Amino acid sequence: MSIDVAVIPAAGRGTRMRPATRVVPKALITVVDRPAIQYAVEEAARAGAKEAIVIVDLDAGHLVAQHFNLGGALPGLEGIHVRPVVQEEPLGLGHAVGEAAHMVGDRPFYCLLSDNIVRPGFDVLPQLAAGSDDGTVSVVCLRRLHDAMLSRYGVVIPASDVEQDLLDLAGAVEKPGVAEAPSRLGLVGRYLFTPEILAILDKLPPGFGGEIQLTDAINQLGQAGRLRGHIADEDLLDVGTPEGLLQASVCLGRHRFGPQVFDGF
Ligand code: G1P
């Protein structure tokens, strides 16, 4: 089964990017020559998605719609239909993904956090699909984390040895910190979900930070034996912080213009 729909949560308030995000929604912050959100839509299109459901806050809704649809499709995005959905209250990442439920229906779907951009040539969605038994088991993208990152990422509970970068998972914990971390394998913003996660999200109480956490729903998939992890070859870029935005701009700019762009700089 090919996965034809992607959910792209982009409704965060961008507090780590103030003052840039006082007016400009964080999804529309420019990285080299296009807004951050466009990289995620392009990646979903490369993986074969025909529909990108972008979850935005009230302020960003019409701007995102205009960006993608004004005057026809953007070059390279003719084959994907971008459909903004407004999350009216900032109740958490899990709540944001749940807002797409009525449009996703009973299809498996990719989920891409727009703060994270894959490095050129290191797409991971095809590997998630390959590990999903034809879209019937959820697969999350993982990276090995340093100590300091264990309080900034969701961390998974392994249930098997790693075989060819794929392992079974028994659950996940949101931002556990070093002392409580069940492993060093972290959730890095790319997921393939079966529609069962939408039913879990629908009933999920608030968790870490008082927000409805996607990681708590992932944990339930793991407890039910319905979750795998794929360990990615490369870090994703993180444009959710000023330092990360600078690194992403350098990485993507070098790729676009060649390393000589910094000659004599
Ligand atoms: C979110 C998720 C977290 C994940 C991270 C990846 O956290 O809640 O599980 O590891 O994205 O970037 P946030 O960065 O929104 O705090």
Side-chain angles (χ1 to χ4, degrees), residues 4-5 15 25 28 38-39 77 93 122 128 131-132 140 147 214 218 227 230 245 257:
D4 63 3
V5 57
T15 48
L28 294 178
Q38 189 174 330
Y39 289 92
L77 294 181
L93 179 61
F122 288 96
L128 303 189
S132 72
V140 294
D147 279 4
L214 184 61
I218 293 170
L227 184 66
H230 163 74
L245 178 64
F257 303 115

Side-chain angles (χ1 to χ4, degrees), residues 236-251:
L236 276 70
L237 302 162
D238 178 1
V239 296
T241 65
E243 302 90 324
L245 178 64
L246 179 60
Q247 288 163 356
S249 303
V250 170
C251 173

Side-chain angles (χ1 to χ4, degrees), residues 16 93 113 116 153-154 174-175 187 189 191 213 215:
R16 289 172 294 186
L93 179 61
L113 305 192
N116 304 123
Y153 286 79
E174 180 69 357
K175 303 188 172 100
L187 298 163
Y191 315 84
Q213 294 290 350
T215 301

Side-chain angles (χ1 to χ4, degrees), residues 23-28 35 37 56-70 82 84 86:
V23 174
V24 177
K26 82 169 174 175
L28 294 178
I37 184 78
V56 287
D57 61 28
L58 271 171
D59 296 337
H62 67 286
L63 293 173
V64 169
Q66 280 177 12
H67 176 74
F68 285 103
N69 300 323
L70 206 68
V82 179
V86 172

Side-chain angles (χ1 to χ4, degrees), residues 137-138 140 142 155-163 165-173 182-185 218-231:
V137 177
S138 296
V140 294
L142 303 172
V155 178
V156 298
I157 306 166
S160 73
D161 293 335
V162 181
E163 278 185 42
D165 295 336
L166 200 64
L167 71 162
D168 293 326
L169 301 176
V173 186
S183 75
R184 309 188 73 82
L185 292 171
I218 293 170
N219 185 48
Q220 289 195 27
L221 289 175
Q223 287 175 342
R226 306 272 305 139
L227 184 66
R228 291 180 187 149
H230 163 74
I231 303 177

